[in-house]
Amino acid sequence: MKKSALQIARAAYQPKLPVTLTGAVKAVEGAPTQSVADQDDIKKLFPNTYGMPELRFEKNPSPAPGKPFNVGVILSGGQAPGGHNVICGLFDGIKKINKDSRLYGFLMGPGGLVDHQYKELTSDIIDEYRNTGGFDIIGSGRTKLEKKEQFDKGLEILKQLDIKALVIIGGDDSNTNAAVLAEYYKNIGAGVQVIGCPKTIDGDLKNEVVEASFGFDTATKVYSELIGNIQRDCFSAKKYWHFIKLMGRSASHIALECALQTQPNVCIISEEVEAKNQTLQDVVDYIAGIVAARAKQGNNFGTVLIPEGLIEFIPAMKSLIAELNDLLAKTPDFAQKSTAEQREFLSANLSKANAETFISLPEGVARQLTLDRDPHGNVQVSLIETEKLLSEMVGRRLAKMKAEGSYDGKFSALHHFFGYEGRCAAPSNFDADYCYALGYNAACLINAGVTGYISSLRNLTKPSVQWLAGGVPISMMFNMERRHGEMKPVIQKALVRLDGTPFQRFAAKRDDWAINTQYVFPGPIQYFGPAEVCDQPTLTLHYEHLDK
C-alpha cells in the first residue's frame, strides 16, 4: 500500500499511556454495582455477572511472571477513528504481559466469530496500522450476537484457537451483546472472558464511569472543519443558506459539539425539541424566523445544523416510528407490497393518531420511514433527508410570510450530510492516545481474570499520562427497552442533558449567533505542534468536567 507523507509521519507517533499502565499493574476492587434502572429484571437476566465491583488499576511493585495467553478481537458496528489503535494497544498489552501471547482478529465483525473467519495479527501487520483511521485491519460488521447457536458456534473456534478472552470493540448495542455473551460463557463454564471497549462517534455511549466513546473527538473535529469551510464560503458569497445534517441518530452530541466549535446561525438540538413537545412546524417556524431577522439586516445567508435523528425526537413522529418498528417487525412480507398497498396497510393497522400523522407526511418522507430497519430493528434515520425536508418547509413558510408582508428577503438553500466523512479519519492525538490506552487497559483486564467488563479510562480532560485506568461491569449501564416488540436489556443511551454545561453554554450564545455573524473556522486537525493546538479534548468533554 502506498503511504502518504502524513501516514509515514503518523506511524512514528507513540501514543502516551497513563502512568499507571506503564508497568505491572494490580486490580483494586471498588464497591459492588447495580444497573442504572430495572435492577430486579437485569439481575435475573445476568445472575453470574451482575453486581460485580468497579476496578481500578494501580502499580504492582511485586508482579508474578505473566503466562502467555491467546486473545480474539472483533470490530463491531460502524467505523470510528482510533479503532486500529485499540487493537495495537491490545496487542502491545498482551505482549508486555508475555511475549508469547497471540492475538487473532475475527473478520468483518461478529459474523467472523460465528463463521470462523479470522487471521492472526502479528507485529508486521500491527505496525502497518498504528495511528491510522478505518477498520480495514480486520473489517467490521453488524451481525448481532444474541442467539445460543451463535454463542456455541463461536465457542468452537475460540476453543480451537485456545483463546482465553474475546475483546469486542463497539457501541452500546455491541457492548450489550458482549455482556450477554460474557454471561452465557460464564454460566456454562466455557472459560472464555469477554471484554468490551466503548466506540461510537455519536457520543451516546458515556456515563459517570465511561467519560467518552472513542472516535467522537476526531469525527467532530472533521465535521467542524467542514462546517467552518462552508461558513467561510457562505460569508464570502452571502447568498446561500446551508442546511447541514450531522450524524447522531439517538442523540445530538455531534451537532452540539460542532455548534460550540463553529458558532452557526442555527443548531437544532433534538432533546430540546422533545422536551418542549415541539412539532415539525414549530422547528420550521423557528428557522424561518431567524432567516427573516437576518434578511432585515441584508444578510440572506446562514448555516443550519440538524441532528440526523431529529425526526425521532418530535413527539408525534417518535410515537409513529415506535409503532412502525413494532408493526413492521411482525410483518415480514411488508417490503413485497406495492407503495399503495403499504400505505393502505399502515393506515388500517396504525393507531388513529399515528395513522393521521403518517397520512399527513409527504409521500417521500413517509416512504423513507418504512424502509428496511437496521439490524437492531430501528428506522434508518440517515436515509431520511431531513435537511431537504426542513429547507423546503422553511421556503414555503417564508413565501407565506412574504405574502403577508413580514419578510422581504431572498432564500436559496444548499444541502449537506456529513456522515462517512468523519468515521475513518486519521485519529486526533486525543483519540490516538485514548484508543491505544483502551486496548492496553483491556489487556490488563484480561490478565486480571475478569469478564463482562468494559475498558474504562477517566480524568480525560487531563494530559493522558494522568488518566485513571480500570474497568466497570457492563451490566451496571443496563436498563430495559423495547426492541423488535420485546423488552430487552440494553445499555442506556446518553442524551444531551439540557441542564448540563455544554448545552447551557450553547443556549446562552445561540440568539447572538443567530443574528450576528460570528462564525469560527476551526481548520483541519493538527497532529504536530503545541499541546494547546494538538491535544485538546472536545468542548463537550471540557464543559462536562465543569459539572463534576
Side-chain angles (χ1 to χ4, degrees), residues 186-259:
K186 190 163 186 179
N187 183 57
I188 66 172
V192 177
Q193 301 162 244
V194 182
I195 303 295
C197 277
K199 172 234 70 173
T200 171
I201 68 167
D202 289 357
D204 55 10
L205 175 48
K206 64 179 180 180
N207 44 54
E208 290 299 315
V209 292
V210 177
E211 292 184 2
S213 52
F214 79 76
F216 179 75
D217 184 273
T218 305
T220 53
K221 284 179 169 124
V222 170
Y223 299 144
S224 294
E225 178 200 354
L226 296 172
I227 293 166
N229 294 347
I230 285 174
Q231 290 188 154
R232 185 73 101 180
D233 185 272
C234 179
F235 200 17
S236 301
K238 294 182 169 61
K239 60 180 180 179
Y240 295 115
W241 273 88
H242 293 264
F243 285 70
I244 304 168
K245 185 172 70 171
L246 295 160
M247 272 195 158
R249 188 194 81 213
S250 301
S252 306
H253 296 293
I254 289 177
L256 178 57
E257 173 65 24
C258 290

Side-chain angles (χ1 to χ4, degrees), residues 115-153:
D115 297 333
H116 299 184
Q117 300 295 313
Y118 65 91
K119 69 177 179 182
E120 183 175 357
L121 299 174
T122 61
S123 58
D124 288 344
I125 296 172
I126 290 291
D127 289 345
E128 288 293 308
Y129 287 92
R130 294 184 186 273
N131 308 308
T132 60
F135 278 8
D136 45 299
I137 186 171
I138 52 174
S140 185
R142 295 186 181 275
T143 300
K144 281 180 67 68
L145 294 175
E146 57 182 353
K147 298 177 181 177
K148 179 180 180 297
E149 306 84 68
Q150 294 174 309
F151 302 161
D152 292 339
K153 190 71 174 174

Side-chain angles (χ1 to χ4, degrees), residues 40-48 183 480 487-489:
D40 290 342
D41 291 334
I42 302 297
K43 187 175 182 178
K44 288 177 184 176
L45 292 170
F46 296 87
N48 297 287
E183 173 67 27
M480 300 295 291
M487 294 302 292
K488 299 275 190 179

Side-chain angles (χ1 to χ4, degrees), residues 18 20 57 441 456-460 464-470:
T20 305
F57 289 125
N441 190 64
S456 172
L457 296 163
R458 305 193 215 180
N459 210 30
L460 297 182
S464 54
V465 293
Q466 298 178 31
W467 292 348
L468 305 176

Side-chain angles (χ1 to χ4, degrees), residues 241 263-267 286 290-291 293-294 297 299 301-303 509-519:
W241 273 88
Q263 302 183 178
N265 303 108
V266 180
C267 177
Y286 171 69
I290 292 173
V291 172
R294 286 180 61 79
Q297 299 179 341
N299 294 325
F301 64 91
T303 49
K509 296 288 186 179
R510 62 178 163 186
D511 290 346
D512 187 19
W513 300 346
I515 306 303
N516 302 309
T517 306
Q518 301 203 33
Y519 302 148

Side-chain angles (χ1 to χ4, degrees), residues 153-168:
K153 190 71 174 174
L155 186 58
E156 291 177 10
I157 191 63
L158 294 174
K159 290 296 187 182
Q160 183 179 322
L161 297 174
D162 193 26
I163 286 176
K164 172 185 179 179
L166 182 67
V167 176
I168 297 179

